[in-house]
């Protein structure tokens, strides 16, 4: 299929990875061949403790390094937190904000996610802004309303397609092996594209990458990635192994 938007496959390593994982990252770099490089952008978002080491290891590998969260302020008395400024300083070029695990575990709201996305922008990081409904919300027929509300509340005005990526991640699909049907993904991604027009303007909305996330693996990537308005994937579990991560990237060539 011909794509007007260059896709992105981003791996979210969550709270996984010690220094020893550098060998697996090297395999990713080695396997990032010319076919993949031609067709898709790759990114790994390791835990903060590995950003600096991976940013160094990534030189010449064609894999960008992102972070998994940031504070909304650039510095100050916030023990244990990490700012977007620090992530950029460590070598990250992007940061995930509003992941459902942060929304659930740390009570993050659309408003706080928006402030984090603004902090990312201030510090030159691309914000990967996550939205997605829970199982209960889907069963109650509220999927579109929830995604709309999250999008409206979490995405700052005036962003360009270089500043933000949207990741649609149904919470019930994360780490469960379950995925929505292609038709369901298509419906939500079309809604996101349409609503983005109101937030970032018509022209930018056509260019913003909208990723699908939730149990993406090599065996289902081709089908999910061929859905209209799916411009890549945010991958959790399957991004920890070079073979699986590159297998997903291969869905684009
Ligand atoms: C995620 O947490 O962003 C994710 C998509 O996880 P998984 O691929 O493991 O479902």
């Amino acid at each position: 299929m011909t794509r007007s938007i260059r896709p992105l496959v981003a791996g979210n390593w969550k709270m996984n990875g010690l220094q020893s994982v550098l060998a697996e990252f090297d395999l990713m770099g080695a396997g990032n061949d010319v076919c993949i490089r031609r067709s898709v952008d790759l990114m790994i978002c390791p835990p903060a403790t590995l950003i600096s080491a991976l940013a160094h290891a990534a030189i010449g590998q064609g894999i960008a390094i992102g972070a998994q969260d940031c504070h909304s302020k650039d510095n100050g008395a916030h023990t244990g937190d990490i700012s977007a400024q620090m992530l950029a300083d460590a070598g990250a070029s992007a940061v995930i904000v509003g992941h459902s695990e942060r929304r659930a575990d740390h009570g993050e709201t659309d408003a706080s996610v928006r402030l984090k996305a603004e902090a990312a922008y201030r510090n030159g990081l691309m914000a990967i802004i996550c939205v997605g409904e829970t199982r209960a919300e889907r069963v109650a027929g509220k999927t579109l309303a929830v995604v709309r509300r999250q999008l409206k509340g979490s995405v700052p005005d005036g962003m360009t397609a270089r500043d933000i990526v949207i990741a649609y991640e149904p919470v019930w699909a994360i780490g469960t092996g379950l995925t929505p049907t292609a038709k369901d993904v298509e419906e939500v991604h079309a809604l996101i594209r349409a609503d983005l027009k109101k937030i970032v303007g018509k022209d930018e909305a056509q260019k913003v990458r909208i990723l699908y996330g939730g149990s993406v693996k090599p065996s289902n990537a081709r089908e999910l990635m061929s859905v209209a308005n799916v411009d890549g994937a945010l991958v959790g579990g399957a991004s920890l192994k070079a073979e699986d991560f590159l297998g997903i990237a291969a869905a684009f060539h």
Side-chain angles (χ1 to χ4, degrees):
M1 91 194 258
T2 326
R3 292 179 177 273
S4 56
I5 299 181
R6 185 168 165 85
L8 168 69
V9 174
N12 171 14
W13 281 4
K14 311 192 184 194
M15 200 171 69
N16 297 293
L18 304 175
Q19 298 291 330
S20 53
V21 86
L22 281 171
E24 197 65 29
F25 183 79
D26 286 343
L27 290 177
M28 290 181 184
N32 187 14
D33 61 26
V34 69
C35 295
I36 296 177
R37 284 177 195 237
R38 224 180 5 226
S39 16
V40 56
D41 287 341
L42 297 185
M43 178 184 292
I44 289 292
C45 302
T49 48
L50 289 175
I51 288 174
S52 188
L54 287 200
H56 191 73
I59 293 169
Q61 303 298 324
I63 304 178
I65 301 301
Q68 299 174 16
D69 178 51
C70 66
H71 195 273
S72 58
K73 300 261 167 56
D74 290 344
N75 46 54
H78 303 286
T79 303
D81 281 314
I82 301 180
S83 73
Q85 188 177 56
M86 292 165 173
L87 297 172
D89 186 54
S93 57
V95 59
I96 299 170
V97 293
H99 190 281
S100 60
E101 287 155 13
R102 301 256 355 144
R103 289 181 188 257
D105 296 354
H106 300 271
E108 293 189 3
T109 61
D110 294 337
S112 64
V113 172
R114 181 188 172 120
L115 289 175
K116 287 170 185 241
E118 286 171 358
Y121 175 73
R122 255 194 331 272
N123 290 285
L125 299 181
M126 185 174 78
I128 301 176
I129 304 171
C130 300
V131 296
E133 82 286 2
T134 61
R135 160 65 70 198
E137 288 163 341
R138 174 159 285 268
V139 169
K142 293 183 180 157
T143 299
L144 299 184
V146 168
V147 169
R148 282 200 123 135
R149 191 209 69 223
Q150 290 177 331
L151 205 60
K152 188 161 184 268
S154 310
V155 180
D157 302 320
M159 296 286 106
T160 72
R162 273 196 310 274
D163 306 322
I164 55 163
V165 167
I166 307 298
Y168 168 54
E169 299 207 305
V171 180
W172 53 272
I174 294 179
T176 58
L178 302 171
T179 50
T181 63
K183 193 166 161 285
D184 288 340
V185 174
E186 185 172 348
E187 183 180 32
V188 178
H189 279 236
L191 173 96
I192 292 173
R193 180 82 63 208
D195 277 17
L196 276 174
K197 289 183 187 159
K198 292 176 219 146
I199 305 173
V200 300
K202 204 166 156 222
D203 290 349
E204 286 306 315
Q206 297 296 358
K207 295 185 267 178
V208 171
R209 291 184 282 197
I210 307 174
L211 312 184
Y212 167 77
S215 294
V216 179
K217 30 188 197 255
S219 57
N220 62 18
R222 212 166 280 278
E223 188 193 357
L224 287 163
M225 297 304 117
S226 64
V227 174
N229 287 306
V230 173
D231 310 308
L234 182 55
V235 186
S239 70
L240 291 164
K241 286 269 162 267
E243 194 184 345
D244 291 344
F245 187 59
L246 294 169
I248 292 167
F252 291 95
H253 66 75

